[in-house]
Structure formats: structure tokens, C-alpha cells
Amino acid sequence: MKTERKMWRMWKVLSLALSIVLRVYWHRITKKSEADKEALWERIGQQFRQTLFELEGVLIKVGQMLSIRADLLPNGFIKQIQDMVDQVPPSPWEKIQKVLEDEWDRPLNNVLHSIETKAIASASIGEVYQGILRDGTKVAIKVQRPNIKSLVRTDFRSLAIIIWFADRFAPVPKGFINFNMLYKELKHVIERELDFNKEMETAIHFHQRFQEFNGAKVPGVYPEHCTSKVMVMEWVEGFRATDTKALERCNINRNELSERLLRLFLPQWLEAGIFHADPHSGNVLIQEDGTIILLDFGMVGEISRKDASHFQSFLEAVLMKNYEKAAGALGQLGFLLPEADPKSIESVLAEALSFDLEKMKEMDILTAKKEINDMVKDLPIQVPTRFVFLGRSFVTIEGMIHIITPDKETLEIVKPAFMDWLKHSNTSKWQLFLKWMNAQPFFQIVHSVQDYLEAPKRHLELQEKQQYEQFEFSMLENRKTHAFFFSLLGIIGTFSGIYFDRTILWEGASLLSALAFIGYFMTNRKQRKWLKRVKMKR
């Protein structure tokens, strides 16, 4: 990539980030209403989306990653970017041919009998072409876009600057967003997708894992033709799982298809190991005989045995109404930030899980999701990426099932699939039975009465504590905001004085800027000490 193009790209990204920060700070200083704030984030989301589509490349993938962080980002922003499609124009064939010949270290006709020069799919990282091997086998050839690694390096330099700036000046409570961790998560996921050898290994794993699964297929891979930039797979044909007209035309039993889809994914979600993290309708195809085809294993999540054990402990604690154990399990899973107060988490869990499940069924799902997101944002919680991927995988499949069988409740589909998984898993039946019995309405009466009597007291104590801490924190944040703007004003005045050759102006502005910077960092240090003191009190 030419230097001028790199600098222009960095300028577009950095100027957008700076404009966002300035607008957000201005809304905070002028104390705009929540409605104005929501409208601002919607405008920012629209501009962010337009910029990503203008720049194309891996930034679209970054946008998709951010769109699943509803636990961290404003709703107005998320709404504008949540349906971003990773689809960009294909590269010129001559460049693709060069990548193939460089990777295979031989002319194309030494490997392929023929290849279609028009891409059948084109995304930010790779493009897919249809080809035929010399032995007559039809294959799908995924090729990494030329110069994508250079583009990624440029984009991540820009992101690193933005993350550094955001970590120090973003108008959010310190500790609420671990910006450095978020940056590492984005970088790890995208760098993994850039290595087609890892995707090949994952595809082989899934192919072997579900080889005996009746009614599902994972295309085979040809490792001898795969490299870090090229992946050759078995060619398969099918239609999208959400194509209801095709389902009708092929006379496929939709209820059975939905159950089979869940049977395919439940082991991935409930057992230690890797799971498909991006099962959208383009990656889940259906053949005319009803066979489910899984494609594209570039984005996967992994649940370790340790995570699976802690997650099981959390579910057990919830079933047994042991909120102390539940909060501990959340901490072990990495959901709680270091300054989180376990007692506060216990209180919130007790309050959140003492609702009437029957009433929850009647709630609008979008309202429920918003309330859950608002609750998460009020707590010292950051959802680890692997669990965000897990949630995304589940929600995507749940939405797909709703389209396939719109007249069925999701729970009606889940129950037989779950019982089938339970039947074939190694989980202790007696333990699950006892926990299930304890969770039934009859056995919950004692728990519910006690929770009901204690809930108002817990709520008041928690509310008073949070209000006092929020007041102290807001004072420190306001001081930092004022110091930041005075330093910015001082910098502008300094450059203006130098430009107009006004010594008094630039000297005075420099002094103002220096004092403001000192004030900012002193307040920031005081705020950090305050956070440590609050943590020690807890």
C-alpha cells in the first residue's frame, strides 16, 4: 500500500475518533438530555458506518466486532452498526492469480484443471472462487485479499492511537471499559482470521466431530493445497437456512430441521471446546434432502474445561439460589472487573433472579434485552469476548429457528434437543434431577418468600451506596473534563499565538495548557486512589 494512501487512511480514522470524543465531551459539559445523547450516538453510528464502508478492508470486521458489544457501547450507536454486512468488491483477477501462484509456488494449471475468474463471494479478508482440481474434483478456493496484511497493520496503528487516547480521556468511568483488553481482543480475532492454516485446522476438527452426526455436513478440506493465504475445500451446494420458499419447495419438515439445528449447536455451547461463533444464514446452508451444511470457520470461540466447570457452578448456584457462589463463579469466569463489590453483585443477582418467569414470557423480547443491557451497564461487569461470541452464536441460531418455525416457541424446540443432549452427555443425571427439583415452583416457595421480604432492604442499601459513590466519582470526572478542555484551549491558543506572532498570547496559553494538564493528571491520580480506597472498604 502506498505511503500516501496509508496516511490518508490513518487520517480518516483518527479524525473520526477525535470528532467523536469532542462531541461526546461537549454534550457532557452542556448537560444534554438522554434523548439528545441517544440522538448523538445514532449520528455517530451513522458516520462511523459510512466511514468504514468508504475505507472497506478489515475495518468492516472491526465494526462487526464492536456491534456485538452491546454490554459496553451506547444503544444508539449499536443500532446503526449491528447489521453491517462484510461484503466488498472483489480484487482484480490478475492479483488473485498472483497470490495463488506465489502460495503454491507453481503455475495454476499444475494444480487446477480450471477455475472461474469471477468470485462467488467477496469479503474484507478473503474471496471465494469455484475451481476444478486436475483429478476432476470440484472445489471452493478461498484466497486472502492481496495486501490485506499491510492494510491491517495500518488500521491497527490507528486503533492503537485511538485506544491510548480513549483509555486516558474517554468520558466513561475508569474501569468500566478495559480499552487495552478490547484492543487485544479485536487484534487477536482478526489476526486469527488472517491465518488460513488455523481456519483449516478448525474446519478439519468440525468435520471429524460431526462426521457421524445424521443430517449435517461439514465440507472436507484438501490440506495439501492449503497455505496461510489459500484454503481449498470440498464444493457443496445449498440454500440459506432462512430461505422459507426453498424449504417449502423441497418439502422439508421445519420442526425437525429446527430441532436438528439445535442438536448440532447445543454440544458446542454446553461442552468444553470450540464453537462456531458466526453461524449467520450465509454460513448455514440446507441441501434439498434437508442436510445442514456448516461453512466458514474463520471466527470461532473457545470454552475451556475450566470455564465449563465455572459455568456449571454458576448454573448450579442460580438453581440453588446461592447468590454468593453465583457471584464467585462470575468472577472466576472473568465477568467482574477488579473493583467489583461481590456483595453488590449478590444483591443484584438476588433481585434479578427473583422475578416471575411466567411474566417474563409475556415481556417484549426487545424490551427485555434493553433492560438486561441497562442492568449490565450499571454494574462493574465486562463480558469476556469468548462469552460474547457464545451469546452471539446462540442469538443468531435462535433467530434462525424463529424464521424456520415462526409458529413454535423457542422453548418447545429447545426442550427435546436439550433432553437428547443430556441423554448422550456424561453429566450426572441424579445431580441434574435434584437441582431441577429444587428449582421447581413448589420448592421455590421458601426461597421466594425470603427473597421477597429481603429484596426492598437490599435494594435500598445498594441504591444508597451506588448514589453516594456515583456522586463522588462524578465530581472527579467533571474536574477532569474541565481540565481537558482548558488544556485543549491552551494548545489552540499557543499555536494561534505562534502563528500570529503574539508572544503574550502563546506564553499565556502555554501556561494555561500546562496548568490544565497538571490538574488533569493530579485529578486522575486522586481518582485512582479513590477507586482503590473504595475497593478496600468493600
Side-chain angles (χ1 to χ4, degrees):
M1 188 188 291
K2 293 182 178 179
T3 303
E4 295 82 0
R5 173 72 179 174
K6 289 181 180 179
M7 294 302 295
W8 174 81
R9 192 177 183 88
M10 288 186 72
W11 164 248
K12 289 286 289 185
V13 175
L14 295 175
S15 61
L16 172 64
L18 181 61
S19 73
I20 291 172
V21 170
L22 291 177
R23 281 182 285 175
V24 171
Y25 264 117
W26 176 252
H27 268 63
R28 286 195 67 182
I29 287 176
T30 54
K31 300 187 184 300
K32 298 286 186 180
S33 67
E34 285 299 317
D36 288 335
K37 199 177 296 182
E38 184 77 4
L40 169 68
W41 278 110
E42 286 188 9
R43 292 195 299 273
I44 288 173
Q46 289 172 356
Q47 186 182 358
F48 182 80
R49 181 190 180 100
Q50 289 168 359
T51 302
L52 295 199
F53 277 123
E54 179 185 352
L55 297 177
E56 296 180 352
V58 77
L59 286 175
I60 294 178
K61 189 69 69 176
V62 172
Q64 288 181 314
M65 286 283 296
L66 292 178
S67 73
I68 63 176
R69 297 314 305 248
D71 58 315
L72 301 180
L73 301 169
N75 294 327
F77 182 80
I78 292 292
K79 280 193 294 186
Q80 297 301 318
I81 66 171
Q82 63 187 357
D83 60 344
M84 288 184 68
V85 178
D86 187 6
Q87 188 173 355
V88 297
S91 305
W93 166 248
E94 294 74 19
K95 292 185 177 181
I96 294 296
Q97 181 178 351
K98 187 175 188 310
V99 172
L100 287 169
E101 291 182 340
D102 287 348
E103 290 299 302
W104 286 337
D105 196 24
R106 69 193 80 171
L108 290 188
N109 56 18
N110 283 10
V111 179
L112 302 171
H113 177 270
S114 63
I115 183 171
E116 296 289 336
T117 58
K118 184 179 180 180
I120 60 172
S122 178
S124 57
I125 289 177
E127 304 172 19
V128 181
Y129 295 81
Q130 183 187 102
I132 299 176
L133 297 177
R134 289 181 63 84
D135 63 3
T137 305
K138 188 184 285 190
V139 293
I141 305 168
K142 184 175 180 179
V143 187
Q144 193 172 105
R145 295 180 74 87
N147 302 319
I148 186 67
K149 289 189 176 178
S150 173
L151 188 148
V152 168
R153 283 196 296 271
T154 300
D155 289 344
F156 272 108
R157 285 193 194 106
S158 303
L159 287 174
I161 295 171
I162 292 170
I163 290 294
W164 181 90
F165 190 84
D167 191 42
R168 288 157 179 79
F169 303 108
V172 295
K174 287 289 177 187
F176 174 64
I177 301 179
N178 188 331
F179 285 102
N180 290 321
M181 182 59 69
L182 183 61
Y183 174 76
K184 288 176 183 176
E185 290 171 353
L186 289 169
K187 194 173 182 183
H188 171 75
V189 170
I190 290 172
E191 284 180 346
R192 191 189 189 287
E193 286 204 61
L194 286 171
D195 188 349
F196 286 5
N197 279 325
K198 290 181 179 175
E199 183 176 351
M200 178 196 71
E201 291 167 2
T202 306
I204 291 172
H205 167 82
F206 274 91
H207 179 76
Q208 293 172 346
R209 181 177 183 179
F210 295 109
Q211 201 164 15
E212 303 299 323
F213 191 99
N214 189 28
K217 180 180 179 63
V218 176
V221 178
Y222 297 87
E224 65 274 20
H225 299 309
C226 295
T227 71
S228 62
K229 295 182 180 180
V230 177
M231 186 171 168
V232 181
M233 302 157 283
E234 175 187 359
W235 179 266
V236 291
E237 293 186 3
F239 53 86
R240 290 174 180 252
T242 52
D243 187 346
T244 54
K245 290 182 179 178
L247 292 173
E248 288 292 332
R249 187 180 67 249
C250 296
N251 197 28
I252 293 172
N253 185 322
R254 295 198 191 187
N255 290 338
E256 189 276 333
L257 177 63
S258 292
E259 284 186 24
R260 185 154 34 93
L261 196 57
L262 269 174
R263 286 190 176 95
L264 186 63
F265 277 89
L266 274 177
Q268 299 180 48
W269 298 331
L270 299 175
E271 298 171 7
I274 58 176
F275 59 89
H276 198 306
D278 193 23
H280 61 74
S281 57
N283 290 338
V284 181
L285 304 183
I286 309 296
Q287 293 186 319
E288 291 188 355
D289 63 354
T291 300
I292 299 170
I293 302 170
L294 280 187
L295 301 174
D296 193 352
F297 299 95
M299 189 179 290
V300 295
E302 183 171 4
I303 303 298
S304 67
R305 292 187 182 278
K306 192 175 179 180
D307 282 337
S309 174
H310 291 316
F311 188 60
Q312 184 180 0
S313 296
F314 174 72
L315 292 177
E316 290 174 7
V318 169
L319 286 172
M320 301 297 290
K321 301 283 186 177
N322 186 338
Y323 304 119
E324 182 180 0
K325 183 178 178 182
L330 283 177
Q332 293 291 337
L333 287 167
F335 280 82
L336 306 185
L337 293 171
E339 67 273 14
D341 176 13
K343 292 294 180 185
S344 297
I345 300 298
E346 289 173 34
S347 299
V348 172
L349 283 173
E351 186 176 344
L353 297 173
S354 60
F355 53 71
D356 187 343
L357 286 174
E358 291 302 317
K359 289 182 180 177
M360 185 183 177
K361 289 179 183 178
E362 298 171 6
M363 289 176 66
D364 175 58
I365 192 165
L366 293 177
T367 303
K369 182 177 183 293
K370 183 180 184 301
E371 288 184 5
I372 290 170
N373 282 339
D374 291 343
M375 182 187 295
V376 168
K377 287 180 180 179
D378 289 336
L379 295 173
I381 286 176
Q382 179 168 308
V383 183
T385 299
R386 60 193 186 281
F387 290 109
V388 172
F389 283 169
L390 188 67
R392 173 183 177 169
S393 181
F394 174 77
V395 169
T396 305
I397 292 298
E398 193 271 339
M400 193 178 295
I401 287 171
H402 181 69
I403 293 173
I404 296 170
T405 50
D407 56 336
K408 284 270 189 178
E409 287 288 336
T410 304
L411 288 175
E412 293 180 55
I413 304 293
V414 169
K415 184 177 178 181
F418 178 76
M419 295 306 294
D420 184 66
W421 170 79
L422 191 60
K423 180 180 175 183
H424 295 96
S425 72
N426 296 322
T427 311
S428 170
K429 311 296 186 297
W430 282 109
Q431 285 183 359
L432 278 172
F433 177 74
L434 289 172
K435 289 162 192 170
W436 176 81
M437 286 291 290
N438 191 69
Q440 296 311 298
F442 177 78
F443 292 94
Q444 285 185 347
I445 292 174
V446 176
H447 295 302
S448 299
V449 171
Q450 186 177 0
D451 290 342
Y452 180 77
L453 293 174
E454 293 180 358
K457 182 182 176 182
R458 284 198 307 265
H459 182 72
L460 283 173
E461 289 176 353
L462 179 63
Q463 195 174 41
E464 288 175 4
K465 187 176 182 181
Q466 288 180 336
Q467 284 177 348
Y468 179 72
E469 290 179 355
Q470 186 62 39
F471 174 73
E472 286 191 274
F473 194 88
S474 296
M475 285 198 306
L476 293 170
E477 279 292 289
N478 286 334
R479 290 180 193 173
K480 285 172 61 178
T481 302
H482 294 148
F484 172 78
F485 264 95
F486 277 120
S487 66
L488 193 63
L489 189 64
I491 291 171
I492 294 171
T494 300
F495 282 107
S496 299
I498 293 172
Y499 181 80
F500 292 108
D501 196 22
R502 295 287 187 272
T503 305
I504 295 177
L505 177 60
W506 75 259
E507 285 181 348
S510 298
L511 179 62
L512 174 66
S513 183
L515 291 173
F517 266 114
I518 292 170
Y520 179 91
F521 286 107
M522 285 179 65
T523 306
N524 188 57
R525 186 180 177 187
K526 186 176 180 181
Q527 187 182 51
R528 290 180 184 277
K529 286 183 177 179
W530 177 82
L531 284 170
K532 287 181 181 177
R533 190 168 65 251
V534 169
K535 183 182 175 183
M536 288 176 66
K537 285 181 181 179
R538 291 169 175 174

